[in-house]
Amino acid sequence: MSVIQEVAKTRGASRETRKGDGKAAAIFLAPWFLGLGLITAFPLLASLYLSFTDYSLLEAPSWIGIENYQRMFEDPRWLQSLSVTLRYVLISVPLQLMAALGLAMVLDRGLRGLAIYRSVYYLPSLLGSSVAIALLWRQVFGADGLVNQVLAYFGIEGYGWVSHPDYALGTLMILNVWTFGAPMIIFLAGLRQVPAMYYEAASIDGASKIRQFFNITIPLLSPIIFFNLVLQLIGAFQSFTQAFIVSGGTGGPVDSTLFYTLYLYQNGFKSFDMGYASAMAWFLLLIVAGMTAVNFLASKYWVFYDD
């Protein structure tokens, strides 16, 4: 009986310890859950409700059902913003990932001062979405900017790139490609994990560098490529600052840089049409979720894992 009593006491003490640990964990996690509820969950649910209302920020919202969602497909500027954003995402993201992978392969060769190069190339990712860089970009691609000065040196007459409807979006794509630092660091880490023996065996068999790249590097790096692709797609859909600063908040010239998020901002905080802006936000969420789901479904055909 004494042994049984001792075991029971030990179990009781361990239960009390677990209860104490649980209370401590709950106390430490309480601020996070409070922030999740007040800063994330509540505004998210509130915007879902507002997307079915006519709400001007100045008056109480009135229920109108799905009219805001129907209105989107009849709004030519909404269609333009969707077109601009899709072109921006589908062109700039692949180019950014190719630039990141190419530079990561160069750095993977073991250059001296690799840490310095990594830091220098990572800086654009930290600064690319800032107001200062957007202002600098507008000056660089302006009529009297650095790009035109370089072209003039070779006798080529440039344009006001950011003020020309055919080229303004292209300058923002270049800016997004320039912010390749974050995916480059991830690619570099992935390249360091590829066993050298695969390349040695391929070299012995006479495989060229190009064939090694497509038959060894890409398959083994495919999970990293997939990870970067998903992250950069989501980030590109959320781009706002660059277009806002370069176009002065108008999305011009001729709505050529009217990003989806910029048009959402114009409706919500300039026209005070918050109900319509909320509907736009939820539609954007569906687009991003849909593209992410497509990527995950397609990944089974081109992403290869060790198992």
Side-chain angles (χ1 to χ4, degrees), residues 170-247:
T171 64
L172 297 181
M173 292 179 183
I174 294 173
L175 175 57
N176 191 47
V177 173
W178 181 67
T179 60
F180 56 77
M184 182 205 69
I185 295 296
I186 298 173
F187 278 138
L188 184 57
L191 288 169
R192 292 298 176 89
Q193 302 304 313
V194 178
M197 62 181 180
Y198 293 156
Y199 296 108
E200 294 171 358
S203 297
I204 293 173
D205 290 339
S208 64
K209 293 294 183 182
I210 295 177
R211 191 167 182 180
Q212 291 178 30
F213 174 75
F214 286 104
N215 290 347
I216 298 176
T217 305
I218 293 298
L220 293 180
L221 211 61
S222 58
I224 306 297
I225 296 173
F226 174 66
F227 175 77
N228 274 331
L229 176 63
V230 171
L231 284 187
Q232 297 309 314
L233 277 176
I234 294 173
F237 270 110
Q238 296 174 333
S239 296
F240 170 79
T241 306
Q242 305 94 316
F244 181 85
I245 298 299
V246 169
S247 69

Side-chain angles (χ1 to χ4, degrees), residues 89-194:
V89 171
L90 297 178
I91 295 175
S92 68
V93 170
L95 291 176
Q96 182 195 54
L97 294 181
M98 285 190 286
L101 178 56
L103 194 55
M105 293 185 67
V106 172
L107 295 179
D108 188 47
R109 294 183 177 181
L111 299 176
R112 289 185 178 180
L114 180 59
I116 297 175
Y117 284 111
R118 278 192 309 221
S119 301
V120 170
Y121 289 128
Y122 184 68
L123 278 176
S125 292
L126 297 176
L127 304 175
S129 60
S130 67
V131 174
I133 293 298
L135 288 170
L136 177 63
W137 214 254
R138 188 170 66 180
Q139 294 299 321
V140 168
F141 285 93
D144 300 321
L146 179 62
V147 172
N148 283 345
Q149 291 177 17
V150 173
L151 292 176
Y153 180 79
F154 294 98
I156 303 174
E157 184 178 355
Y159 298 91
W161 303 97
V162 294
S163 59
H164 196 293
D166 293 337
Y167 305 114
L169 181 60
T171 64
L172 297 181
M173 292 179 183
I174 294 173
L175 175 57
N176 191 47
V177 173
W178 181 67
T179 60
F180 56 77
M184 182 205 69
I185 295 296
I186 298 173
F187 278 138
L188 184 57
L191 288 169
R192 292 298 176 89
Q193 302 304 313
V194 178

Side-chain angles (χ1 to χ4, degrees), residues 51 68-69 72-73 78-79 82 237 260 264 276-290:
S51 69
N68 285 324
Y69 293 92
M72 285 191 293
F73 294 95
W78 180 83
L79 295 172
L82 185 60
F237 270 110
Y260 194 100
L264 189 156
Y276 187 46
S278 298
M280 286 182 60
W282 274 92
F283 194 87
L284 178 61
L285 174 64
L286 293 177
I287 293 174
V288 173

Side-chain angles (χ1 to χ4, degrees), residues 21 31 33 104 241 254 265 284:
D21 292 342
F33 281 112
T241 306
V254 199
Y265 164 81
L284 178 61

